[in-house]
Amino acid sequence: MDTSAYCQARSRLPEKLLEKLFGQVAQRLEEKVTTEYLWCGRNVKVIDGSTVSMPDTVENQKAYPQPKSQKPGCGFPIAKIGVIFSLATGAAVALVIDVLNTHDIKLARKLYQFLNPLDILLGDRAFCAYADMVSIKNLECDAVFRKHQARTTSMRKGKIVGDCDKLVTWYKPKKCPQGLSELEFAALPPTLVVREIYYYIIIPGFRTERVSLITTLLDTTTYSALEIVGLYGKRWDVELDLRHLKTTLGMDVLRCKTPSMVRKEIYVYLLAYNLLRSLMWSAGTTYGTPPLRLSLQGTRHHLNNFIPELLAATSKQRHLIYRTLLKVPNRPARSEARVRKRRPKAYPLMTKPRNELRKQLQTA
């Protein structure tokens, strides 16, 4: 079957159009969120970074080079992506694409423009920096990050406001951090008051781990320490959202052979993902089930099975079809080890380009 016509039509789709469609679907879904789905009356966004692989072509290698640790011809081009997800809907609301060696915090600074006033940004320790906390506050937003490992914890400093809860004054760095211009660094305030909440993870047989959270939510009455600790526990949801994108939908290994088509492919994946989240939201809110308890994979399978019926059905019949969406039990504080059950094939890794390997086979 000749697919050239399909490929030519696909290449004519403007990248900006796909980016706009992805953003519009996310925005319309966010507009449906009611107060009951908010955290302490605030909308929470979760930020994280990941990578995607693509075919080994000259164009892709030039735009998104493979890791420097791999020999030429033995690796694949890899792009770094930064994504902001909505904690309430699970939808991806913002995306940025860059090269592999881009630090997560550099991606984050390109994503702050997509935050709305009063949003709360939730992230891991990679995003916990002085300049970024200031930038988020300047946008009339707040942040909840895990404390960066480079910052030492002192029990004696700070104003105690509760059990394992204190207000701490941070001071502007003495040197301009990488990624900031001299003007941006000069505009930073000399001090910043943040709230530090710490707790302990105790697992029998393992060393007790202390976790410190840094937040700009200073009101201890509205935002209790227990509520904030519980909120950070939901940060794991972003890992599940990325897994849905990369594993469930198959975005982990892209198929397009040029950088522009690679970016289009990523936007189409996120567009499809958001459309599934929109369907889950519609089904859940219509039938009194929390939308995030529905299965994204089950929604996808049912949608594929019922597309012919949906096209031919009336509006009333579509509501009956929504009832078939798979529902899964709630699993709070879920944590899974990053291991693989299926064993890989016992072939050695590719350490030389294929043309050299062919020559070795011919001379052997």
Side-chain angles (χ1 to χ4, degrees):
M1 181 178 178
D2 187 6
T3 60
S4 61
Y6 165 75
C7 293
Q8 292 174 30
R10 186 179 63 173
S11 64
R12 287 195 292 268
L13 281 172
E15 182 180 332
K16 288 295 182 181
L17 172 62
L18 297 175
E19 182 181 358
K20 183 179 179 180
L21 288 174
F22 150 68
Q24 284 183 345
V25 171
Q27 182 179 356
R28 289 176 182 175
L29 181 54
E30 287 297 291
E31 291 172 353
K32 297 179 182 179
V33 177
T34 55
T35 307
E36 62 182 301
Y37 295 100
L38 301 179
W39 180 83
C40 295
R42 304 277 295 273
N43 207 337
V44 180
K45 305 292 177 57
V46 194
I47 188 170
D48 205 358
S50 189
T51 58
V52 290
S53 176
M54 62 196 74
D56 188 13
T57 64
V58 175
E59 295 92 339
N60 286 345
Q61 283 282 11
K62 185 176 180 180
Y64 304 107
Q66 68 183 43
K68 295 181 180 180
S69 59
Q70 294 178 328
K71 296 181 180 179
C74 301
F76 292 93
I78 298 179
K80 186 78 172 283
I81 61 172
V83 192
I84 291 181
F85 291 92
S86 168
L87 188 65
T89 65
V93 298
L95 168 75
V96 65
I97 308 170
D98 214 320
V99 295
L100 176 62
N101 61 355
T102 306
H103 195 279
D104 284 350
I105 207 165
K106 185 177 179 181
L107 295 177
R109 288 167 183 165
K110 297 179 181 179
L111 290 169
Y112 294 155
Q113 60 180 311
F114 297 101
L115 295 175
N116 299 317
L118 299 182
D119 279 351
I120 297 175
L121 188 61
L122 182 63
D124 61 20
R125 65 182 70 188
F127 306 100
C128 188
Y130 184 94
D132 294 79
M133 303 288 275
V134 172
S135 297
I136 293 169
K137 285 297 295 180
N138 290 340
L139 294 171
E140 299 181 20
C141 299
D142 285 292
V144 178
F145 298 142
R146 186 171 178 179
K147 189 176 184 178
H148 196 276
Q149 64 272 16
R151 284 188 174 271
T152 57
T153 300
S154 175
M155 300 293 292
R156 294 174 295 179
K157 294 183 178 181
K159 178 184 177 182
I160 297 176
V161 293
D163 293 337
C164 303
D165 192 356
K166 60 183 180 179
L167 298 180
V168 183
T169 300
W170 279 9
Y171 295 92
K172 179 179 175 179
K174 296 180 180 179
K175 295 182 179 179
C176 180
Q178 292 185 355
L180 288 182
S181 66
E182 291 295 338
L183 290 176
E184 291 172 330
F185 180 67
L188 294 177
T191 61
L192 175 68
V193 177
V194 296
R195 185 176 169 193
E196 181 174 356
I197 300 169
Y198 48 95
Y199 60 96
Y200 297 89
I201 299 176
I202 302 175
I203 302 176
F206 293 86
R207 180 181 298 176
T208 299
E209 182 180 1
R210 171 173 167 155
V211 177
S212 293
L213 303 181
I214 300 296
T215 179
T216 56
L217 298 169
L218 307 184
D219 187 348
T220 58
T221 303
T222 306
Y223 314 104
S224 67
L226 190 60
E227 288 280 0
I228 293 175
V229 170
L231 175 63
Y232 188 77
K234 296 180 181 179
R235 197 206 66 83
W236 179 254
D237 289 358
V238 73
E239 305 288 347
L240 302 180
D241 294 336
L242 285 170
R243 187 192 68 178
H244 281 314
L245 270 171
K246 297 177 65 175
T247 304
T248 306
L249 299 185
M251 196 182 77
D252 191 20
V253 180
L254 304 174
R255 295 186 295 177
C256 291
K257 299 181 179 180
T258 61
S260 62
M261 289 303 298
V262 162
R263 291 189 292 271
K264 292 179 188 179
E265 189 176 0
I266 293 174
Y267 279 116
V268 168
Y269 270 113
L270 279 124
L271 174 60
Y273 171 82
N274 280 351
L275 288 172
L276 286 174
R277 286 293 185 185
S278 299
L279 180 59
M280 293 166 64
W281 184 268
S282 177
T285 53
T286 300
Y287 299 108
T289 299
L292 294 182
R293 289 182 61 186
L294 298 176
S295 166
L296 187 135
Q297 182 73 307
T299 303
R300 177 192 178 195
H301 288 162
H302 282 298
L303 179 61
N304 289 338
N305 291 334
F306 292 117
I307 281 178
E309 288 80 0
L310 286 169
L311 292 174
T314 63
S315 58
K316 292 183 178 180
Q317 291 172 331
R318 291 194 186 101
H319 289 293
L320 297 176
I321 296 174
Y322 287 155
R323 293 183 181 275
T324 61
L325 292 174
L326 182 63
K327 300 178 182 180
V328 296
N330 191 18
R331 295 169 287 184
R334 184 175 177 227
S335 179
E336 298 288 347
R338 292 190 174 184
V339 295
R340 294 178 297 174
K341 181 178 179 180
R342 193 171 297 279
R343 271 57 175 173
K345 301 295 183 182
Y347 293 113
L349 294 175
M350 183 176 178
T351 57
K352 297 180 181 179
R354 290 196 178 275
N355 57 347
E356 295 184 17
L357 292 174
R358 291 193 190 99
K359 292 179 181 178
Q360 287 185 0
L361 290 175
Q362 294 171 358
T363 57

